[in-house]
Amino acid sequence: GAGSPQTVAIAEQPLLRVWSTPEAISTVRANTSQGVSTRIGQAVTVRGVVTVSDELVTSAGTRGPSYLQDGTAGIAAFSPTGVAAAVETGEEVILLGRMDQFFGLNQLDASTVVVDRLGTPAPVQPLVRTLAQIASDGAGGIEQYEGRLVRIDGVTVNTAVWTASGSGTNYELSGPTGTLPVR
């Protein structure tokens, strides 16, 4: 009769996202000694400043990952539709996502990212490192510079082989502490 409770099926189930206290980026992107993420598949929350938003676009129009970093480390955030459209370089944001790896790159699966803008902090200052320091990164599965904004002073680039467009080409940097291929 009138006023009786009824049960009605919901056509589409609601999506529930649970925020947690942001963790240090260095914690969520920790690796084993073989370079495999210890958090693959886990939902994580991080807070940091966006260092790359939509600057990485291939000649085919495919967007690369966005990057953010806190005082401990940097991390990529990627989705096929492009998390870059949701963030701006220099913004401080909180991201909730699932940890994943793409050819060894630790990244947040941005198909589950929620962006919470916290304001525009001072620009991130790059870490100044040498070619030798960058070349030795990754020993024991630990890549301390992965996803970080770094600057290498006093290098030259072999522009004679600067012929490719898009991605997938290595170029050689030379400097006082050695040489380093960059992609």
Side-chain angles (χ1 to χ4, degrees), residues 49-54 83-93 117:
V49 176
V50 178
T51 56
V52 175
S53 64
D54 63 354
V83 71
V87 298
E88 295 291 328
T89 301
E91 285 185 312
E92 185 173 14
V93 299
R117 287 176 175 78

Side-chain angles (χ1 to χ4, degrees), residues 131-132 134-135 152 154-164 168-183:
L131 288 173
I134 301 298
I152 305 168
V155 297
T156 58
V157 180
N158 182 352
T159 58
V161 294
W162 202 278
T163 57
T169 303
N170 290 339
Y171 299 102
E172 188 172 281
L173 299 179
S174 300
T177 63
T179 60
L180 178 71
V182 294
R183 192 169 198 77

Side-chain angles (χ1 to χ4, degrees), residues 28-72:
V28 302
R29 57 166 286 242
N31 286 343
T32 66
S33 60
Q34 290 76 40
V36 177
S37 172
T38 60
R39 304 284 295 267
I40 286 182
Q42 294 182 17
V44 299
T45 303
V46 295
R47 175 179 180 164
V49 176
V50 178
T51 56
V52 175
S53 64
D54 63 354
E55 292 86 357
L56 303 175
V57 180
T58 67
S59 57
T62 306
R63 295 205 180 277
S66 294
Y67 288 84
L68 72 147
Q69 68 184 59
D70 61 13
T72 68

Side-chain angles (χ1 to χ4, degrees), residues 107-124:
Q107 64 183 21
L108 286 174
D109 176 348
S111 62
T112 57
V113 162
V114 176
V115 179
D116 186 14
R117 287 176 175 78
L118 301 172
T120 305
V124 173

